[in-house]
Amino acid sequence: MKEWFGLVARLVTGGVWLVAGALKLPDPYASVRAVRAYDLLPESIVPTVGHLLPVLEVVLGLVLVTGLLTRGAAALSVLLFAAFVIGIVSVWVRGIEIECGCFGGGGAKPGASAQYPWEIARDAGLLLLSAYLVWSPCSRYSLDRVLFRSRALTERP
């Protein structure tokens, strides 16, 4: 049962990363605007983060969906979701009203704070799924099982 739950966790988190990144790729300047709106990073690195984040999200999504290097990908996923939760909590506490930019868009948006609890809950749930994959990376239909068969078999419950 653990391996089936791992498959679902991989597909859900990987699918979210794929969709989020793919929606941002066509308009990298919107991604930069979204990163800038959080007002957390030094301006000198905002463009780099804004341009690289969608690419990282797509790659992370592909790696998770295919089940390649699952534990490492899931650990990176945990870190990113934690950063996103911290970012949303930060703007909420500071009274900043922005669209999260999670699936494109981003920037100032009046009344956006009404969505913050939902966005935090969503990202916290995805963080927990990712943490499960760090703890138990062995799952059905993964490239890890094909490429690293002897290790994958020893990680079974």
Side-chain angles (χ1 to χ4, degrees):
M1 190 58 130
K2 252 172 75 169
E3 292 180 347
W4 287 107
F5 185 76
L7 172 65
V8 171
R10 270 190 20 243
L11 294 178
V12 169
T13 56
V16 167
W17 286 123
L18 270 172
V19 170
L23 289 173
K24 292 179 218 170
L25 281 176
D27 188 1
Y29 298 105
S31 181
V32 171
R33 186 174 56 250
V35 171
R36 183 175 285 122
Y38 282 89
D39 196 26
L40 288 172
L41 300 174
E43 181 56 35
S44 60
I45 66 169
V46 165
T48 303
V49 171
H51 282 97
L52 291 180
L53 189 58
V55 175
L56 176 63
E57 290 172 344
V58 168
V59 170
L60 185 57
L62 287 171
V63 171
L64 283 168
V65 166
T66 61
L68 179 62
L69 305 172
T70 303
R71 180 171 276 147
L76 178 57
S77 183
V78 166
L79 292 174
L80 285 174
F81 282 125
F84 293 162
V85 168
I86 290 167
I88 295 167
V89 168
S90 168
V91 294
W92 198 7
V93 167
R94 293 180 290 149
I96 299 172
E97 301 272 337
I98 61 170
E99 184 179 9
C100 77
C102 304
F103 296 93
K109 181 180 177 187
S113 62
Q115 293 299 311
Y116 294 165
W118 154 246
E119 292 165 353
I120 291 166
R122 177 198 61 215
D123 288 354
L126 291 165
L127 185 150
L128 290 174
L129 285 177
S130 299
Y132 176 82
L133 290 169
V134 171
W135 174 68
S136 182
C138 191
S139 62
R140 297 280 181 179
Y141 306 114
S142 70
L143 285 178
D144 285 345
R145 290 178 70 97
V146 174
L147 298 173
F148 311 111
R149 187 156 173 75
S150 62
R151 281 187 56 202
L153 291 176
T154 61
E155 293 183 22
R156 278 188 168 175

